[in-house]
Amino acid sequence: MLFSDSTHFTDFGTASLWPIYAFFGNLSKYVNACPSSLGARHLAYIPSLPDFIQDLYSSKFGEKATADVLAHLKREIMNAVWLLLLDDEFMEAYRNGIVVLCADMILRRIFPCFFSYAADYPEKVLLACIKNLGTWLCPRCFVMKPHVSNLGSPDNRSVRLRLRKDTPARHRLIKKARRLIFRFGKSISSKAVSTLLNEGSLVPTLSAFSSRLEPEGFDFYELFVVDFMHEVELGVIKQVMTHIVRMLECLGGGRVTELNRRFRSAPTFGRDIIRKFSNDVCSFKKMAARDYEDMIEIASPLVEGLFPGDHDAAIVDLLMILGIWHAYGKLRISPEEVNQSFRECCTLLSEKLHHFKNEICPHYDTKELARECQARQRRQAQKNPTSSHSTTSKVKVFTMNTYKFHSILDYPDMIEKYGTTDSYSTLSGELEHRRVKRAYKRSSKTGFQRQIARRVYRERRLQEIASNNHGTGRQRSQRGLHVDFSADEPLPLSDPAERYQMSHSRRFPVDLFALLAEKDDPALKLFLPSLKNHLLMRLNGVHLNGVEIEYSQTELDRLTFVGHRIYKHKVIRFNYTSYDLRR
């Protein structure tokens, strides 16, 4: 299971990393979701375009590189890296497998295969080799952008069945387009190239997965799974909640302030199920996916009463259905009957969204929030620093014409085919970014990619060494805490009046340090101080009085074991005087 995404290391600067992580599907999803388990393997760090790319391009072609050219270069770099990873050695293993000695000491032939590729939409576009937000914007099906807003309609559902396929005909189209560019000098955005690749919003780049795996019968479009965190929590939920706040600002009367007060008054629940909300939730400042998740879980009762008439009930119903849909999507187990209920919820949610968009939103003259207006001005200033820009808020309408809304109906099918969404969530990759960010802080900040790679490699090697030592120590302690049956340790007859008899032999020592290293063994919890306390009671004769005494740490430290050893024995003899095992 693969994941890739770029991450920034600093708030003020350009230091970033573009890693590719691989997770083994044979491991538990709870292991892969925990960064401390080191379940993610760092396959490669994709190089970014250099800062001087515009200068280099201008010196060669006499003009500035367009956005299409930069996007093409980025796609070429990513697929070039994947071609290096999918080399001849890997393809040999892919076709014929590799023989591995498994943990049960049995040799098995294992075939590596790709299960899923988790990524956000801009990353999927690069991997699927299609235009970003093109006419055919979905990396899985042939839905057209003007029809995306027809969510749940019969035509929309039929188009979803037209899945993208990696075929030799597609390869020939891309090769023709590349010949026009690199042999006849046509630009990437020229009419000749665009006409050739128009259907499907293709681009003149052949995917590395396609070129390597298509001859083996593998369709790389099947890799692209849904992205719950970016598409739902940071997509649909954020967009719905943002527009509801715009509507409340349009109504005025302190409704936004009241909604903030209600969120602040909401109690927390569980350890991290619902966290404490900030003082100004409706400004949406520095909110992560988990914050939008918390919002939708309790938004329905908090919004109630803030809108007039029938609009209030319709918006409350929308938030309730969206919350239920979110809960279905987050289930860690999804039987067939539950998934069928999820499909029905998808249909109901699409109806509520259409009603919200067509029947309620037109009654409100919604405009940008203050934060949205400021963000727009910053973007405009960055594009054109010399010109002045409007400081007034622009009209904002609610739209469903985005890929995030289009993906809503794909979730039941994805869960049926690939399993629950937590198995291939981008959250695991985002959590893994924390490791490289910690490694960056410990680097020299110059050539940090190589330093991060070395540190990640050392961490994994240390974990493997610790795991091997731990396993060896456990086997040694389990094998060595009893005397082998074939060992000879005679015990002569003793006086029947003695309570027990044990040999004084020192043939089978046990190292205390090695024994106490088994920290996960509950039998060894407080073993050494309890043993010393017991021995001191017997040495001082206190045990004869039947009184338990707790010695101080200073007194316990006075008792030492010669050579840090205790001894094990094969036989101990107890003398009893009655059948009920009482003396």
Side-chain angles (χ1 to χ4, degrees):
M1 298 189 296
L2 304 171
F3 170 89
S4 64
D5 187 26
S6 179
T7 181
H8 291 274
F9 291 134
T10 59
D11 293 331
F12 304 97
T14 59
S16 63
L17 195 69
W18 191 1
I20 300 175
Y21 304 138
F23 299 88
F24 287 108
N26 303 72
L27 293 177
S28 168
K29 59 185 178 182
Y30 302 108
V31 173
N32 286 333
C34 183
S36 60
S37 67
L38 305 186
R41 270 64 178 179
H42 294 218
L43 294 187
Y45 299 145
I46 304 175
S48 301
L49 293 176
D51 296 334
F52 55 84
I53 184 64
Q54 288 287 5
D55 299 334
L56 181 62
Y57 189 89
S58 299
S59 63
K60 294 288 185 180
F61 301 101
E63 60 182 7
K64 185 179 179 181
T66 62
D68 291 335
V69 171
L70 296 178
H72 175 76
L73 294 176
K74 200 172 182 180
R75 280 192 300 269
E76 290 289 315
I77 291 176
M78 168 174 267
N79 285 283
V81 170
W82 270 112
L83 282 174
L84 292 176
L85 295 174
L86 304 176
D87 56 5
D88 294 338
E89 184 180 0
F90 174 83
M91 294 307 300
E92 176 65 22
Y94 185 85
R95 297 186 189 98
N96 303 315
I98 50 177
V99 178
V100 176
L101 180 63
C102 299
D104 55 2
M105 306 306 293
I106 297 177
L107 288 172
R108 292 184 174 88
R109 185 173 295 275
I110 297 177
F111 291 83
C113 59
F114 296 106
F115 174 71
S116 64
Y117 204 125
D120 56 9
Y121 180 73
E123 197 84 3
K124 286 177 183 175
V125 167
L126 293 176
L127 292 161
C129 294
I130 62 175
K131 292 180 181 179
N132 186 22
L133 298 176
T135 305
W136 287 267
L137 78 171
C138 181
R140 293 187 294 270
C141 69
F142 278 99
V143 66
M144 298 182 70
K145 190 174 182 180
H147 303 152
V148 169
S149 59
N150 300 328
L151 185 66
S153 66
D155 291 341
N156 183 270
R157 291 181 181 274
S158 63
V159 171
R160 290 174 183 272
L161 300 178
R162 292 182 55 213
L163 300 178
R164 291 182 181 269
K165 297 293 182 181
D166 186 21
T167 61
R170 173 182 166 275
H171 290 206
R172 289 193 293 271
L173 282 177
I174 294 175
K175 289 178 180 178
K176 288 181 181 179
R178 293 180 70 87
R179 191 180 301 114
L180 289 175
I181 295 171
F182 297 108
R183 182 174 296 180
F184 298 102
K186 300 291 185 180
S187 68
I188 294 173
S189 57
S190 64
K191 185 177 181 180
V193 175
S194 300
T195 302
L196 193 62
L197 302 177
N198 179 55
E199 186 174 0
S201 296
L202 300 178
V203 294
T205 301
L206 185 62
S207 169
F209 291 99
S210 178
S211 60
R212 293 290 192 184
L213 302 180
E214 192 273 336
E216 308 299 328
F218 181 81
D219 190 347
F220 79 102
Y221 286 119
E222 295 182 358
L223 284 174
F224 306 122
V225 292
V226 291
D227 175 14
F228 197 87
M229 184 176 72
H230 292 97
E231 293 169 0
V232 179
E233 293 169 342
L234 293 174
V236 175
I237 294 177
K238 179 181 179 181
Q239 191 166 338
V240 170
M241 292 302 303
T242 301
H243 198 75
I244 287 176
V245 173
R246 295 189 195 117
M247 294 164 65
L248 291 175
E249 277 203 347
C250 178
L251 290 173
R255 286 177 170 83
V256 175
T257 304
E258 172 62 18
L259 184 58
N260 276 327
R261 186 195 66 80
R262 293 182 182 184
F263 272 111
R264 288 196 304 270
S265 302
T268 59
F269 180 77
R271 182 179 178 183
D272 57 357
I273 297 176
I274 297 179
R275 301 170 179 83
K276 186 69 176 176
F277 288 96
S278 63
N279 293 331
D280 189 8
V281 178
C282 296
S283 64
F284 302 105
K285 291 182 179 179
K286 295 184 178 180
M287 292 182 64
R290 63 175 182 268
D291 299 310
Y292 291 103
E293 178 184 10
D294 293 347
M295 287 185 72
I296 198 60
E297 288 172 347
I298 63 172
S300 179
L302 299 187
V303 172
E304 188 175 6
L306 295 179
F307 289 92
D310 296 338
H311 292 180
D312 188 72
I315 292 174
V316 169
D317 287 346
L318 169 63
L319 294 176
M320 177 64 72
I321 297 301
L322 183 55
I324 294 173
W325 187 95
H326 177 271
Y328 271 120
K330 295 281 280 190
L331 287 176
R332 297 181 180 180
I333 300 176
S334 186
E336 184 177 350
E337 58 273 12
V338 174
N339 207 37
Q340 180 59 35
S341 299
F342 191 17
R343 294 181 190 275
E344 297 172 1
C345 186
C346 288
T347 302
L348 183 58
L349 177 60
S350 62
E351 294 174 358
K352 296 293 183 182
L353 286 170
H354 281 298
H355 179 74
F356 177 71
K357 174 179 177 290
N358 299 325
E359 304 297 333
I360 298 178
C361 292
H363 292 85
Y364 299 84
D365 185 18
T366 51
K367 296 184 179 181
E368 293 174 322
L369 300 178
R371 188 166 182 268
E372 293 177 309
C373 182
Q374 295 169 4
R376 175 177 55 81
Q377 293 172 13
R378 286 194 297 269
R379 290 193 300 269
Q380 291 175 345
Q382 187 175 6
K383 290 181 179 179
N384 194 353
T386 57
S387 63
S388 59
H389 306 286
S390 173
T391 58
T392 58
S393 297
K394 291 188 175 182
V395 175
K396 293 287 287 188
V397 296
F398 182 75
T399 177
M400 294 166 50
N401 201 24
T402 63
Y403 170 76
K404 296 173 182 179
F405 280 93
H406 166 71
S407 65
I408 285 178
L409 299 185
D410 291 339
Y411 280 81
D413 293 332
M414 285 288 169
I415 292 175
E416 184 177 350
K417 184 176 182 179
Y418 296 95
T420 53
T421 57
D422 58 339
S423 300
Y424 42 84
S425 172
T426 54
L427 179 61
S428 300
E430 297 292 343
L431 292 176
E432 186 63 20
H433 282 337
R434 298 180 181 180
R435 284 183 62 202
V436 295
K437 289 180 178 180
R438 288 196 299 267
Y440 173 77
K441 293 179 180 179
R442 292 168 173 80
S443 70
S444 65
K445 312 299 187 294
T446 302
F448 56 83
Q449 295 88 347
R450 184 181 297 274
Q451 298 174 49
I452 291 174
R454 287 176 176 173
R455 185 174 187 85
V456 170
Y457 173 77
R458 291 187 190 121
E459 286 180 355
R460 179 163 300 283
R461 289 294 298 132
L462 289 173
Q463 186 201 46
E464 292 174 356
I465 293 171
S467 178
N468 293 337
N469 291 342
H470 180 68
T472 304
R474 175 178 292 181
Q475 293 170 5
R476 185 184 297 115
S477 63
Q478 290 178 349
R479 184 173 60 247
L481 287 181
H482 68 277
V483 179
D484 191 82
F485 184 78
S486 61
D488 182 26
E489 190 183 35
L491 190 64
L493 296 177
S494 63
D495 186 357
E498 294 182 1
R499 185 175 182 180
Y500 66 89
Q501 181 190 11
M502 189 166 54
S503 172
H504 296 283
S505 170
R506 298 186 179 183
R507 293 176 56 193
F508 309 106
V510 175
D511 188 274
L512 273 176
F513 290 150
L515 180 64
L516 297 176
E518 300 293 327
K519 296 181 180 180
D520 58 345
D521 190 343
L524 297 177
K525 186 178 181 180
L526 301 177
F527 173 77
L528 188 58
S530 299
L531 176 61
K532 287 187 174 183
N533 198 83
H534 171 74
L535 293 176
L536 282 175
M537 288 176 58
R538 298 192 66 85
L539 291 173
N540 295 330
V542 178
H543 68 289
L544 300 176
N545 301 328
V547 180
E548 292 286 339
I549 296 179
E550 292 290 337
Y551 289 95
S552 65
Q553 187 62 44
T554 303
E555 293 173 313
L556 294 178
D557 291 340
R558 293 174 183 170
L559 180 64
T560 59
F561 295 88
V562 177
H564 299 289
R565 290 179 174 184
I566 57 178
Y567 300 90
K568 55 190 177 182
H569 300 279
K570 184 178 180 181
V571 180
I572 183 172
R573 180 183 291 134
F574 292 94
N575 295 319
Y576 296 98
T577 58
S578 62
Y579 288 108
D580 59 359
L581 306 183
R582 297 187 179 212
R583 292 195 58 129

